Amino acid sequence: MSPQPPADPRGAIETVFRLESPRVIAAVARVVRDVGIAEELAQDALVAALEQWPRDGVPDNPGAWLVTTARRRAVDLVRRRENYARKLAEIGRDLETTVPPEEPADPDDIDDDLLRLVFTACHPVLSAEARIALTLRLLGGLTTPEIARAFLTPEPTIAQRIVRAKRTLATKNVAFEVPYGQDRETRLASVLDVIYLIFNEGYAATVGDDWLRPALCEDALRLARQLAALMPKEPEVHGLVSLLEFQASRTAARTGPEGEPILLRDQNRRRWNRMLIARGINALARADTTTPGPYVLQATIAACHAHAYTYDETDWPAIATLYGLLAARAPSPVVELNRAVAVSMAEGPDAALEIVDTLAAEPALRDYHLLPSVRGDLLARLGRAAEARAEFERAAALARNERERELLLRRAAEVS
């Protein structure tokens, strides 16, 4: 134990718990096989820390102390309550006589538990919204009010999503495990998509008055880095980390003094974070690019932008080719729209307009404001001002973010 209690023990305890809670919940969930109960037991361990640490001092290994305390309570709960008899049988009869060690014997055991928690929180049985909320709660350490503020969603709605997600995992008897084979590939894609959705909401908020929400980007990047440490042999995990590092490097240059969006072509690239770019390059180097997956391809595209010192120096033909590969590997109307932008820079707006016009009938893009926005840009470059203005105005009407709406209306006025 530390010889002297800290000056602000409560603040220290809360900081430690926020950092360690995912590991605590993961370790306990392996015992009780229920993430909802595991979270409650982790909170019990926090209460015990608040009672004991101010008196006895913060332990040398506070994370291990929390894990041990929570696991002991989990064992007591399994012993005490008859309705957990089935779960007790599943984890083995020796649990009744086994006393958890003071500290985990092998830190990798906790990592294995944490990996199980990642796959459980992002299980496809849950809706995308539920996966995001549960992941931020269990793995990001965010409170329900913090998640609600981040997504501009009423707090009761977020609370209900989290409660229903836990209930669904329990009623569907979702195994607390890391899947293997084809199931693992499918589930891993879900995990990566959830982290990417969290990052994107921070990178370009869909609703509200602010275009950027940096805290969400930081949470997603932290989760991605954590996942890469847990799964170092998965190329797509490193691809996602690389992509987020590259994207996050532009944050300081993406908004003006009043928070207004600054488009890629107008950004001051000297404000791009070179340390994050270097991290993105290193993460991409760790990914196997022999048969690149969607995130490795997107990271490679982001690397092309990062290597260009000016917008005009961008290797647009290479980016157009990479988007073609991405469209073949993971076809979607949004990928095709992005490919059209690259084609417009590599071959001219006429060629790109043909691609965009074929996307007009896509149901998935019916209310997607970036479709008319891209079309307006192409029409403006072709000198068709009246049509371009109408497209920008239509895009503004579809945009749900106030900053983005202002940008689109300004572009409509400029093209006039």
Side-chain angles (χ1 to χ4, degrees), residues 96-329:
E96 293 183 340
T97 57
T98 299
V99 178
E102 284 297 323
E103 296 185 9
D106 184 354
D108 289 339
D109 291 341
I110 296 181
D111 288 348
D112 289 342
D113 290 339
L114 193 57
L115 195 56
R116 293 184 183 96
L117 184 61
V118 171
F119 278 94
T120 302
C122 298
H123 197 285
V125 75
L126 303 175
S127 67
E129 294 82 4
R131 289 180 226 165
I132 290 171
L134 193 59
T135 298
L136 286 174
R137 177 64 176 267
L138 299 182
L139 294 159
L142 274 66
T143 64
T144 299
E146 287 172 334
I147 300 170
R149 282 198 301 272
F151 286 90
L152 301 184
T153 304
E155 188 175 329
T157 301
I158 294 296
Q160 288 173 4
R161 284 179 188 169
I162 293 172
V163 169
R164 288 171 183 167
K166 294 174 186 175
R167 186 183 303 130
T168 299
L169 292 175
T171 57
K172 297 287 186 180
N173 292 320
V174 172
F176 187 69
E177 64 182 9
V178 178
Y180 293 92
Q182 184 61 41
D183 188 30
R184 177 170 180 161
E185 183 177 343
T186 302
R187 294 268 295 278
L188 179 59
S190 173
V191 171
L192 298 179
D193 288 347
V194 166
I195 295 175
Y196 192 40
L197 284 170
I198 294 170
F199 182 89
N200 274 348
E201 185 58 32
Y203 193 70
T206 54
V207 296
D209 297 328
D210 297 319
W211 197 40
L212 290 180
R213 296 190 188 129
L216 273 180
C217 293
E218 292 167 6
D219 287 329
L221 190 49
R222 178 166 52 83
L223 289 172
R225 290 170 179 166
Q226 192 173 45
L227 188 61
L230 296 172
M231 306 183 73
K233 296 182 180 179
E234 290 289 347
E236 278 292 83
V237 176
H238 293 299
L240 177 64
V241 173
S242 176
L243 174 61
L244 301 194
E245 301 279 11
F246 283 132
Q247 299 288 70
S249 72
R250 307 176 199 164
T251 300
R254 294 188 69 241
T255 55
E258 303 300 323
E260 68 277 13
I262 299 178
L263 299 177
L264 180 63
R265 68 182 178 220
D266 300 321
Q267 288 175 17
N268 179 0
R269 300 193 175 206
R270 287 174 294 182
R271 299 191 68 197
W272 287 7
N273 188 315
R274 292 293 156 184
M275 183 190 71
L276 292 180
I277 289 174
R279 295 186 67 145
I281 293 171
N282 290 336
L284 188 57
R286 286 192 289 271
D288 181 6
T289 57
T290 307
T291 54
Y295 284 110
V296 172
L297 286 169
Q298 290 181 76
T300 307
I301 292 169
C304 289
H305 290 294
H307 286 305
Y309 287 100
T310 67
Y311 187 76
D312 293 335
E313 293 176 15
T314 306
D315 191 349
W316 290 109
I319 292 176
T321 299
L322 287 166
Y323 269 119
L325 294 173
L326 181 60
R329 182 71 172 79

Side-chain angles (χ1 to χ4, degrees), residues 25 90 186:
I25 294 169
E90 289 176 358
T186 302

